[in-house]
Amino acid sequence: MVVGLEGTGAWSGVTLNAGGPFGGGAGFNLSLKNDYIATVAGRFGVAFDRVLLYAKGGAAFTRDKYSADNGLAGPLAGSASGSFNRTGWLAGGGVEWMFMPNWSVRAEYNYLGFGAISEQPVTGNLAATPANVKLNIQTGTVGVNYHF
């Protein structure tokens, strides 16, 4: 039985852009960007000779940046923006194989669930309605590790 704790952090570029009702001309524009992902998880596994099979579970963290504008210029221009920190959960698993002394290779899958929240832009001169944003992220990673 192998038990451990790990933390990860990564910059993210997950973005949603939506245009207005006027076919690319003047109209409402919306952008929602997720700019980082971080996790803290327990890792529980079973080793067979030089192979480790493991499952993991823990907490996930991210931040959404929301911006909107009405697509107009001059005194009619309007915009709104906001930033929203989110907390969710993580579940995953993987396999790690020690192929040489001090060296291993691994493959892992993680599911990060953040659920749905209502995001209301709070800065700017545009009155934007809240957006109901549901976010779930799936990741697959492979890696080569050196053990000191």
Side-chain angles (χ1 to χ4, degrees), residues 10-105:
W11 299 113
S12 174
V14 177
T15 304
L16 168 69
N17 291 310
F22 302 113
F28 189 76
N29 298 301
L30 169 69
S31 177
L32 181 65
K33 182 178 188 278
N34 175 264
D35 64 354
Y36 77 85
I37 300 168
T39 66
V40 176
R43 189 166 136 166
F44 310 93
V46 178
F48 302 96
D49 191 24
R50 297 183 304 172
V51 176
L52 172 66
L53 299 175
Y54 62 90
K56 53 192 283 195
F61 310 93
T62 191
R63 178 176 56 202
D64 294 339
K65 289 185 175 180
Y66 180 110
S67 64
D69 69 71
N70 62 7
L72 300 175
L76 298 177
S79 65
S81 63
S83 181
F84 308 90
N85 291 310
R86 300 175 70 161
T87 302
W89 54 273
L90 168 135
V95 60
E96 188 167 342
W97 172 55
M98 186 163 280
F99 62 92
M100 287 177 53
N102 297 60
W103 288 93
S104 66
V105 63

Side-chain angles (χ1 to χ4, degrees), residues 112-137:
L112 289 72
F114 293 100
I117 64 170
S118 182
E119 296 183 348
Q120 173 71 49
V122 294
T123 61
N125 63 349
L126 180 67
T129 59
N132 186 26
V133 180
K134 181 177 181 181
L135 179 65
N136 297 308
I137 299 172

